[in-house]
Amino acid sequence: MLPGDYDHSADVRELTTYAVVNGTVREIESVSFDAELTGDLPDQVVSAGGVSGRTGTIVWTAQDDAVAGREVSPWHKPSGWPPSAGDRVQVYVTDGATSYPRFTGVIDKTTGSVGGRMESRIIDFRDRLNGTFTHAALLRHHVPYSEGDDYRSIGLGFWYPLVMALRSVRVFNTPPMVAEIAVSAPLQRSVWAEAGTVTDATGLTSGNHANFYRAPWGYSSGGFNVRYRPRTSYPPSQPLQVTLMVADDHNGNATVDVNYGDNYTVRLSVLSSRAVVAHRAGEEICRLTTTQMDGATIVTLLVKNGTWTLRNDRGREATGGRGPGSSASMSTVQFNAAEGARVAGMQVSRPNTTAHEFNSLGFNPSMSFEAGGLGASMDMMPRIENRNVADLVDEICKATLTAAWWDESGILRFVQSDRLRGGDPVQTVTTLDDITELDWEDSLLSVRSRVHVDWKNPSISKSRYRRKELFRGRGDSMEATDVFEVFATPDNDTEWFGVDRAPRRLNDSNWGVYNRKRGSFMGAYFMNDEDTELSTAGRPFTITTEPLGTVALKIIHTAGALGTGIEANLGTSENATAIRTALRGQSLPVIRGFGEGTWVDETYTSPTTGPSNMPELNHNLSYWGQEFFEGGSVAQRIGDYIASMVTTPAPTIRNLRVTYDPRRQLGDVITIEAGILDVTLRALIVGISESHQTGQHTQSLTVRIIRADSTRRVTYDELADAWDGGDYNALQAVWNGLTYTDFENAPVEGAPNA
Amino acid sequence: MYLGSPGRLVGVKCPTRQRIGSSERYSFETTLEGRVKAQVVPLQRRVWDVELGQLTTPSEVATLQEFANGAWGKGPFWFVPADAPVVNVLPPITSVFGGQVDGGPVRLEGGPIAPFSIARSDGSAGTLQFVAAEEDPPVIPEIPVTGSAWVTGTGASVLLQWFDGSGSIISTVQTPPSQRVPAGQGAAVRVSVTGVPPAGAVRVRLTARDAIAAARPAITFTDEVFPWGDGQGCQKAVVHAVSRDVTKAWDNPKTGRWSNLSFTVQEVG
């Protein structure tokens, strides 16, 4: 519900509708649009009809004051009129006191006829999601950065790939990366870096990782120690900018240390009081107090030419001065947060023009999300290669029961289904004052006997060294001028981690390095036609490699003029004493990595069942929700959640027409007091259709019933009917120990005929 | 009745029939339990159905036809309907103009109450303006104009200002001192002023002087003040749906040719 004072039960109301195209107010004759949210229930149980999102039609009038002399022509657009496809359009409704946005989007298509009306079709920003996205596979406790390091516990959940895919098409809930970025970590369900590299990551207790909490934009995070290596290493004489988002419920220390070698560190810290302090080697340079940070969310520190400036998105500023330190370049960024901290959107950059300074403070989000209780936990994320972003977002939302819609201000919203339904009602509509049409349906169409959730369970093997054998050639043999290409790639159900894509060439000078079974190797040994092994020195035999995609490798073996009868075998030497006996004559190339994960198909069946003659429901969770550390799985929560809704038949409302209220939004929970039907319903608005013409503003809602409470008074006849055949002892037996209030709430409880 | 632009108002034969209609102000919805909810249209525009009568001569037809044919341009035009010159030539006034405030309902001498009045934002006595410059009515040369309004405030009066084609004031005429509001009046008193447009005048503006509040202004093309009616003038109108029945057209050219001309005037803007 949009904020504003509006009496939706008023007897006489006065409203005006107007449209703004590319910033200019334009006169309209009528406008109508439909808005829908999808994804909160599986497609099989809701009739997902028509186009989802927000679409509509505007019929334009002449834009001149009273009498238009000249016909409007699309071939001449002197002042941007008629509108062009892609023009930004907003529709507002005002009651004279407040303007409420009802539609934000773009012009899709404009049509007109000479002497007739001109009209435009308007749609939401869905075309923004056309782009491709690629990301390597990840583990919640990821493989090390280099051999022998600890595992990197980065945290993982389906929100991470969703947010990163949207960032790649410039839809943001935390500020976008600024130019000349060194490190960027949005912290939306993982501490994995968007720019720069995570070298170490842990939570505050052993075996743990960062925790993620609901914040107005999506997630904030606390309880971690993460070290990043910057993408580019800038010297301390260059300007430095550090940005951080801080939620209102932040209550623990968080620090970002930008280290230039060992002698100079720029520290930005946010205290539990939400005060922000900039330090250099323990000395405080400037501070924004708690009061100055009141209501602020984003804070940036700029260090330039010896002047340090702290500024937040409320415009509050604090400055100090201190020259730069040692001459070593930026080496690491250490980001630590206590359990009570609530931070996100960390960025370190070099603003090389003034236009880049404090860029993040003017951030306007184009997306926001609310995680629910159904869970998002993932132990492994599959590699994503050149996926269309709109398809990927669609797949993740449908799998995890996340409702998605474009709201009336053009912001893309995601809310998990259980959170959407769990909200408190924001308004009550009644059949006395607000509802002008109500159609209902009672059928078995959406009832199921059983719910199965199909999901992919990862089976993970990993090591702190590159010991996991991922691929081995088949030991082919070649003769002069042969060319063999080997393509090492994981199959569809496997992920590779930390692949060594620079195999070492083995020959007589170094067969022994193969003994330790770490890393990737390629090579060949040579036999003459008397079955004697020849030396590898000087053989015209080349092996080249070509990395492909995120993990695959192509190894090309080319034999030159080897000589008659000489055979090249792709394997380790059969006779070289440098190699351990058991490892001689093994096929090459061998590709190894830090780890491998395999996806195993599993199905969870909910114990709650419905009428046995109804079909079963299969929901595909796919990769996007796995097991919880404390037990149970996302599949289980989703399965039980869907089962609770589809195993009992319940009447639904097909059409609800109400008197106009410009504050209603998709996702609102409302109470419907249908006195005329003796029932009070709690419902979720999943669709709004509006139509505006001269003096007529109408609104129809599509709702899903969350709960129904009967308000019917029971008559004595009905009571007698229900208890007919029962005697006083039966009544006594049922009602023993219950109160008069219980009787009032359910008068025919336990009656034999009820 | 008159049609045209300020400085070029054309007199049209007095109609035998003139019906005025207004666009619908409310739309209604009924709730399931029977309550009726209304929605208001903020603006209403008027339509006049006019008939000039069966004895309209060809030259009288031509005067109107030139508007409908586009000889005067596409419009819009000022329209002074048949009853307006005696009732009130101003357009309907439903709200307070400009930076002035609504002084609230005002009791008029003799009993009636005006729904709202114009007053200055600081509550002092001074000059009050009723409509924007473009709504100042046009005048016809040599036809006297009377302006009136109910005002409060000792010594309050009304003033007529004559404007020429470029928007400069030619001269003014004000209520004589003996007819201004005497001291000690509780209800608003009606004051008026009459004048003849000087040469070169195309528009007239009515303002109240030394008034605390003013209500129910009226401008008429008469030489004295008449009972008040709400504004009938129309600042922007177009003529369309012209149709003509020939009543008499005999062979003998010496007898008359008469027709019955009917048309519609639509308020626009």
Side-chain angles (χ1 to χ4, degrees):
Chain A
M1 176 80 71
L2 291 169
D5 251 328
Y6 179 85
D7 181 3
H8 62 102
S9 303
D11 297 317
V12 183
R13 74 195 76 234
E14 182 169 343
L15 295 167
T16 313
T17 310
Y18 62 96
V20 178
V21 179
N22 275 352
T24 310
V25 177
R26 299 288 183 186
E27 310 250 5
I28 57 182
E29 180 172 295
S30 68
V31 55
S32 63
F33 66 85
D34 300 307
E36 230 191 350
L37 72 81
T38 53
D40 70 312
L41 278 184
D43 277 347
Q44 303 96 310
V45 295
V46 298
S47 46
V51 185
S52 72
R54 210 167 273 255
T55 61
T57 307
I58 297 183
V59 179
W60 306 103
T61 61
Q63 298 298 310
D64 304 336
D65 187 24
V67 184
R70 170 176 270 166
E71 184 79 27
V72 164
S73 163
W75 288 277
H76 298 288
K77 298 188 182 180
S79 45
W81 196 255
S84 313
D87 280 353
R88 187 184 164 101
V89 60
Q90 291 155 286
V91 177
Y92 291 91
V93 169
T94 172
D95 60 356
T98 321
S99 271
Y100 300 95
R102 299 311 293 154
F103 191 103
T104 301
V106 292
I107 304 270
D108 186 30
K109 178 171 88 165
T110 307
T111 58
S113 53
V114 176
R117 292 276 179 269
M118 181 170 80
E119 69 178 54
S120 291
R121 189 172 114 91
I122 51 179
I123 60 172
D124 52 42
F125 292 120
R126 67 190 62 171
D127 282 337
R128 278 196 194 166
L129 299 187
N130 283 333
T132 53
F133 175 65
T134 298
H135 197 295
L138 284 180
L139 292 171
R140 190 156 63 93
H141 295 280
H142 200 50
V143 297
Y145 175 63
S146 44
E147 294 210 283
D149 285 352
D150 287 328
Y151 294 117
R152 295 176 282 182
S153 296
I154 56 170
L156 196 55
F158 77 79
W159 293 107
Y160 174 76
L162 184 66
V163 169
M164 298 312 288
L166 288 170
R167 284 177 84 84
S168 76
V169 287
R170 306 202 63 75
V171 176
F172 299 104
N173 67 325
T174 63
M177 284 197 289
V178 299
E180 306 274 341
I181 190 82
V183 177
S184 170
L187 258 58
Q188 299 305 296
R189 198 58 198 221
S190 178
V191 306
W192 196 248
E194 185 180 24
T197 316
V198 173
T199 55
D200 291 275
T202 58
L204 296 183
T205 55
S206 110
N208 207 346
H209 54 70
N211 290 319
F212 299 95
Y213 304 94
R214 240 176 257 128
W217 55 84
Y219 274 127
S220 64
S221 183
F224 56 83
N225 292 323
V226 185
R227 183 177 309 169
Y228 296 89
R229 205 175 64 128
R231 185 184 67 99
T232 312
S233 196
Y234 297 110
S237 53
Q238 291 290 312
L240 169 73
Q241 186 162 246
V242 182
T243 302
L244 201 58
M245 285 179 89
V246 183
D248 267 340
D249 54 346
H250 175 88
N251 192 16
N253 277 3
T255 56
V256 179
D257 283 334
V258 181
N259 299 311
Y260 293 86
D262 291 327
N263 293 334
Y264 174 50
T265 296
V266 171
R267 167 176 284 196
L268 174 71
S269 63
V270 185
L271 311 180
S272 5
S273 60
R274 289 185 96 241
V276 178
V277 187
H279 314 244
R280 180 210 189 288
E283 180 196 338
E284 179 175 320
I285 308 291
C286 55
R287 167 191 290 243
L288 281 171
T289 64
T290 311
T291 323
Q292 288 177 301
M293 282 297 289
D294 196 22
T297 305
I298 312 175
V299 59
T300 296
L301 167 67
L302 176 70
V303 177
K304 182 176 169 187
N305 296 334
T307 307
W308 294 46
T309 311
L310 271 173
R311 194 188 292 177
N312 66 22
D313 58 344
R314 288 276 150 157
R316 303 272 184 268
E317 198 172 282
T319 51
R322 202 61 163 81
S326 77
S327 53
S329 292
M330 194 191 292
S331 48
T332 61
V333 173
Q334 181 75 35
F335 188 14
N336 294 347
E339 287 296 351
R342 300 286 181 268
V343 291
M346 185 271 280
Q347 292 193 35
V348 174
S349 64
R350 172 190 73 166
N352 63 346
T353 70
T354 45
H356 294 150
E357 289 169 15
F358 300 113
N359 255 354
S360 304
L361 297 180
F363 171 63
N364 277 325
S366 33
M367 182 269 280
S368 77
F369 67 85
E370 276 181 58
L374 292 176
S377 185
M378 288 169 74
D379 286 324
M380 179 162 95
M381 182 182 93
R383 66 183 180 281
I384 300 172
E385 284 176 333
N386 295 322
R387 275 299 295 271
N388 174 274
V389 172
D391 283 344
L392 179 64
V393 168
D394 213 38
E395 177 184 314
I396 295 180
C397 288
K398 286 198 157 74
T400 57
L401 291 190
T402 301
W405 72 94
W406 294 94
D407 79 2
E408 58 284 321
S409 304
I411 299 184
L412 182 56
R413 293 269 236 254
F414 297 98
V415 182
Q416 241 178 337
S417 183
D418 64 317
R419 185 142 177 94
L420 203 53
R421 283 156 185 270
D424 282 328
V426 292
Q427 189 180 61
T428 301
V429 298
T430 65
T431 48
L432 178 63
D433 267 320
D434 311 285
I435 303 176
T436 55
E437 267 173 43
L438 195 158
D439 300 337
W440 53 265
E441 179 179 284
D442 190 8
S443 75
L444 289 178
L445 269 185
S446 59
V447 177
R448 297 288 182 274
S449 57
R450 219 171 179 109
V451 175
H452 306 282
V453 179
D454 298 320
W455 59 291
K456 294 203 182 275
N457 196 355
S459 168
I460 300 167
S461 313
K462 63 188 182 202
S463 161
R464 287 168 49 234
Y465 296 88
R466 289 198 165 92
R467 290 181 160 276
K468 185 83 188 66
E469 185 172 308
L470 302 171
F471 175 88
R472 190 176 281 277
R474 283 174 312 169
D476 300 287
S477 58
M478 299 164 67
E479 290 199 36
T481 71
D482 284 349
V483 176
F484 264 48
E485 281 187 15
V486 176
F487 188 37
T489 183
D491 63 34
N492 280 341
D493 276 328
T494 309
E495 312 293 343
W496 289 351
F497 300 100
V499 187
D500 179 2
R501 294 207 276 180
R504 290 180 67 170
R505 172 77 186 266
L506 290 172
N507 53 35
D508 285 345
S509 64
N510 66 353
W511 288 115
V513 302
Y514 186 76
N515 286 332
R516 294 309 302 151
K517 296 194 190 165
R518 279 198 218 160
S520 304
F521 295 98
M522 58 193 185
Y525 66 93
F526 303 92
M527 304 290 275
N528 65 12
D529 52 9
E530 278 129 32
D531 293 334
T532 313
E533 187 168 336
L534 306 170
S535 92
T536 59
R539 300 280 159 210
F541 190 86
T542 50
I543 311 182
T544 55
T545 61
E546 200 181 296
L548 298 168
T550 52
V551 288
L553 188 68
K554 189 154 82 163
I555 304 117
I556 305 136
H557 306 82
T558 314
L562 287 179
T564 342
I566 296 189
E567 165 186 283
N569 291 289
L570 303 187
T572 57
S573 165
E574 290 177 24
N575 298 306
T577 50
I579 300 189
R580 284 157 44 188
T581 322
L583 300 180
R584 291 178 203 160
Q586 283 195 339
S587 306
L588 286 179
V590 62
I591 305 297
R592 296 201 178 99
F594 280 118
E596 182 181 49
T598 310
W599 296 106
V600 177
D601 287 327
E602 292 216 14
T603 303
Y604 170 75
T605 303
S606 173
T608 316
T609 56
S612 54
N613 56 327
M614 299 311 299
E616 299 189 341
L617 189 154
N618 279 74
H619 179 78
N620 188 10
L621 177 57
S622 182
Y623 309 103
W624 310 110
Q626 293 154 22
E627 286 174 324
F628 296 107
F629 173 72
E630 60 270 19
S633 65
V634 177
Q636 182 182 9
R637 288 193 195 171
I638 287 184
D640 290 342
Y641 178 74
I642 298 177
S644 68
M645 289 190 289
V646 303
T647 50
T648 13
T652 56
I653 290 188
R654 301 200 40 192
N655 170 34
L656 185 71
R657 200 165 128 161
V658 287
T659 55
Y660 192 83
D661 186 338
R663 301 168 302 167
R664 292 197 183 108
Q665 293 176 297
L666 291 176
D668 279 351
V669 172
I670 56 173
T671 304
I672 302 175
E673 274 178 17
I676 204 171
L677 295 172
D678 288 322
V679 70
T680 296
L681 303 165
R682 180 178 292 203
L684 171 71
I685 299 183
V686 298
I688 298 181
S689 283
E690 289 189 12
S691 166
H692 303 262
Q693 285 153 328
T694 319
Q696 252 201 332
H697 304 265
T698 60
Q699 200 173 49
S700 281
L701 304 178
T702 308
V703 296
R704 293 216 223 288
I705 312 257
I706 298 172
R707 203 172 84 195
D709 291 312
S710 170
T711 55
R712 179 178 234 165
R713 300 199 192 305
V714 174
T715 63
Y716 275 117
D717 279 341
E718 288 172 330
L719 202 57
D721 221 28
W723 280 96
D724 186 31
D727 62 4
Y728 187 73
N729 285 328
L731 182 74
Q732 169 74 2
V734 173
W735 285 94
N736 192 28
L738 299 176
T739 65
Y740 277 120
T741 315
D742 297 324
F743 182 66
E744 199 178 296
N745 286 340
V748 292
E749 168 83 22
N753 297 334
Chain B
M1 82 187 168
Y2 301 94
L3 257 183
S5 330
R8 281 194 286 262
L9 265 191
V10 172
V12 181
K13 173 181 181 280
C14 194
T16 53
R17 194 176 90 110
Q18 174 185 286
R19 177 200 285 188
I20 176 175
S22 202
S23 48
E24 184 59 60
R25 187 148 191 256
Y26 293 100
S27 66
F28 302 99
E29 285 180 296
T30 310
T31 69
L32 292 180
E33 289 189 35
R35 286 218 172 142
V36 175
K37 305 285 174 171
Q39 285 189 28
V40 159
V41 182
L43 302 171
Q44 280 75 48
R45 293 293 175 246
R46 298 161 290 173
V47 177
W48 291 264
D49 276 324
V50 186
E51 247 180 57
L52 293 188
Q54 301 210 332
L55 298 180
T56 314
T57 63
S59 60
E60 287 163 341
V61 168
T63 321
L64 191 285
Q65 196 70 33
E66 281 172 329
F67 281 96
N69 287 348
W72 282 100
K74 61 176 163 74
F77 306 104
W78 258 97
F79 176 56
V80 180
D83 48 347
V86 179
V87 174
N88 194 343
V89 171
L90 285 170
I93 299 174
T94 50
S95 59
V96 176
F97 167 66
Q100 296 161 136
V101 299
D102 183 355
V106 170
R107 185 167 289 282
L108 311 175
E109 61 171 347
I113 305 178
F116 71 94
S117 56
I118 297 183
R120 289 153 70 86
S121 50
D122 57 6
S124 60
T127 304
L128 296 170
Q129 186 172 346
F130 295 104
V131 292
E134 57 183 12
E135 287 176 311
D136 289 330
V139 291
I140 300 137
E142 291 161 27
I143 297 206
V145 173
T146 301
S148 63
W150 273 266
V151 291
T152 58
T154 309
S157 61
V158 286
L159 181 82
L160 285 176
Q161 293 165 304
W162 310 104
F163 288 86
D164 68 7
S166 63
S168 334
I169 299 181
I170 302 174
S171 60
T172 67
V173 56
Q174 190 168 5
T175 315
S178 57
Q179 292 169 28
R180 298 185 191 174
V181 177
Q185 291 296 312
V189 174
R190 193 179 194 193
V191 293
S192 64
V193 56
T194 302
V196 177
V202 300
R203 301 180 99 117
V204 65
R205 176 179 298 174
L206 176 71
T207 54
R209 292 282 153 142
D210 307 311
I212 297 173
R216 291 199 169 170
I219 293 180
T220 56
F221 290 159
T222 55
D223 55 4
E224 59 181 282
V225 75
F226 279 90
W228 181 86
D230 65 322
Q232 294 297 313
C234 177
Q235 185 212 340
K236 294 180 189 171
V238 292
V239 174
H240 71 112
V242 178
S243 78
R244 183 162 71 92
D245 289 317
V246 176
T247 319
K248 172 161 142 4
W250 282 356
D251 203 19
N252 182 351
K254 299 267 179 33
T255 63
R257 283 155 192 30
W258 291 328
S259 333
N260 186 354
L261 186 73
S262 64
F263 58 93
T264 307
V265 179
Q266 165 78 52
E267 180 174 15
V268 296

